[in-house]
Amino acid sequence: GGRLDNVLPDNWLEIYNRLFELVDVRGDAATYFSGPRFINLVRQFLPYFANYEQYIDERNRQGKSTTRRIYYFDILKDLTPVVRNQVITEILNIIRPYDEHRVENIELLLFNKHSKEKEPVKDQHDRKPVIFISYSWDDENHKNWVLQLANRLLKDNVDVKLDRYLLRTGAAMQYTMEQAISTADKILIVFTPNYKLKADNRKGGVGYEYSIMNAGLYLNQTTNDKIIPVLRKGSIEESIPSFMQQYIHLDIRNDDNFENSYNDLKRDIFNEPSAFV
């Protein structure tokens, strides 16, 4: 029907939040969209759209917010679906070489939502599990080990949220972490003595993540199907905060046995029963 042409997709908020996260990396000149850059891109498709100065003046006159997150949302919301998709597609094409993985996730949300009847079944099977990895930055070796683990999971069709990917310059750490933790299907915690120290003392990023996760666990004490504890260094007592010691953990301390441990981890992530069951 003609009148429904301007209806936003059901998942519009999720699409927009993911899109804004992509274009809001300050300091990354290739992918960062300032106000003028964003509006110039819209003007490629709508030549009569106000230029940046005119648009901001008009917002000020109307008493509307000139925060980029808010007015980009308003601009896209008011476009027709055809132009909106053209603008978003153009942005994604610009960012694709730098962040192909997250661009693809947005494209799936944007273009796979038309067949409403088939959608739920399709989603269950085709959607990549989203994993947030929480770890402490002990030293370069440990950081690299976590990064390699994350990259390998990405190759194995897991959507990994890792601070090294998420916290490019300028992202608000606490907001980013909260979003990542709340939207993840599973949280992989890499335990080391330093992690326990920071978690117990609520220090830095680890302390903050741990507080959020702990609150979630307290609410759900009977079932923990979200958190996958992984022991990387030290003993259980040295490395795992006391409240978390009650959960079964994966022991990945021995690099010689890494392949077996990694396969166990993958089974946990994809909720597949162990081969021995």
Side-chain angles (χ1 to χ4, degrees):
R3 283 176 312 161
L4 294 177
D5 278 355
N6 213 22
V7 172
L8 290 160
D10 294 341
N11 55 344
W12 170 241
L13 273 176
E14 186 185 352
I15 291 170
Y16 179 73
N17 287 335
R18 286 178 181 243
L19 182 72
F20 189 79
E21 201 178 80
L22 278 186
V23 301
D24 192 39
V25 185
R26 288 173 190 279
D28 190 340
T31 66
Y32 180 74
F33 273 76
S34 63
R37 184 181 187 188
F38 183 83
I39 285 177
N40 284 340
L41 190 142
V42 172
R43 283 164 58 90
Q44 287 176 27
F45 301 97
L46 291 176
Y48 300 110
F49 193 89
N51 67 30
Y52 174 72
E53 285 77 16
Q54 291 166 337
Y55 182 78
I56 295 299
D57 285 349
E58 185 58 25
R59 294 282 292 189
N60 283 325
R61 258 203 303 282
Q62 296 173 347
K64 290 182 177 172
S65 168
T66 52
T67 301
R68 287 166 43 259
R69 181 185 276 276
I70 294 173
Y71 75 77
Y72 290 8
F73 182 89
D74 288 348
I75 289 174
L76 290 171
K77 176 172 66 85
D78 292 339
L79 298 175
T80 64
V82 172
V83 177
R84 186 189 308 126
N85 283 350
Q86 285 174 325
V87 168
I88 294 175
T89 301
E90 184 64 22
I91 292 172
L92 294 179
N93 286 339
I94 290 168
I95 296 179
R96 189 185 314 277
Y98 307 96
D99 205 337
E100 183 173 9
H101 183 61
R102 288 199 293 170
V103 164
E104 281 176 0
N105 284 342
I106 293 172
E107 287 176 334
L108 280 173
L109 287 168
L110 193 61
F111 301 118
N112 276 11
K113 291 289 179 177
H114 299 307
S115 52
K116 282 276 190 301
E117 303 75 25
K118 297 177 191 155
E119 183 200 310
V121 182
K122 189 173 187 312
D123 260 358
Q124 289 305 312
H125 297 293
D126 292 358
R127 198 174 74 82
K128 294 178 178 179
V130 179
I131 302 300
F132 177 76
I133 302 182
S134 178
Y135 68 106
S136 59
W137 291 26
D138 297 4
D139 53 39
E140 284 308 311
N141 269 347
H142 183 59
K143 282 177 5 189
N144 284 334
W145 184 87
V146 172
L147 187 61
Q148 282 170 355
L149 176 67
N151 288 341
R152 181 153 174 197
L153 286 167
L154 280 175
K155 286 198 186 85
D156 282 336
N157 218 26
V158 177
D159 183 357
V160 180
K161 308 274 186 198
L162 182 68
D163 54 16
R164 298 281 281 268
Y165 303 151
L166 294 169
L167 294 180
R168 298 180 298 174
T169 39
M173 183 187 89
Q174 294 190 342
Y175 173 77
T176 306
M177 291 305 174
E178 276 178 37
Q179 286 289 98
I181 289 170
S182 62
T183 55
D185 297 311
K186 306 264 185 188
I187 296 162
L188 180 59
I189 308 181
V190 183
F191 285 119
T192 57
N194 195 32
Y195 189 101
K196 177 176 172 162
L197 193 69
K198 288 183 171 173
D200 284 346
N201 294 317
R202 299 293 190 269
K203 275 234 166 89
V206 161
Y208 186 71
E209 289 162 21
Y210 185 70
S211 303
I212 304 172
M213 292 184 286
N214 234 352
L217 282 174
Y218 275 121
L219 293 174
N220 272 325
Q221 285 198 29
T222 46
T223 59
N224 164 39
D225 52 4
K226 180 154 181 169
I227 290 184
I228 304 174
V230 166
L231 182 58
R232 175 61 185 153
K233 285 183 199 152
S235 66
I236 294 175
E237 292 70 26
E238 287 168 336
S239 302
I240 303 185
S242 48
F243 179 68
M244 294 266 185
Q245 287 177 15
Q246 61 182 304
Y247 299 113
I248 296 169
H249 65 275
L250 274 176
D251 189 337
I252 305 198
R253 287 175 294 185
N254 178 1
D255 286 339
D256 295 337
N257 194 33
F258 179 78
E259 288 307 313
N260 289 335
S261 307
Y262 179 77
N263 288 329
D264 289 342
L265 173 63
K266 250 182 18 184
R267 276 197 288 271
D268 265 359
I269 289 172
F270 285 96
N271 291 322
E272 289 168 3
S274 156
F276 308 114
V277 172

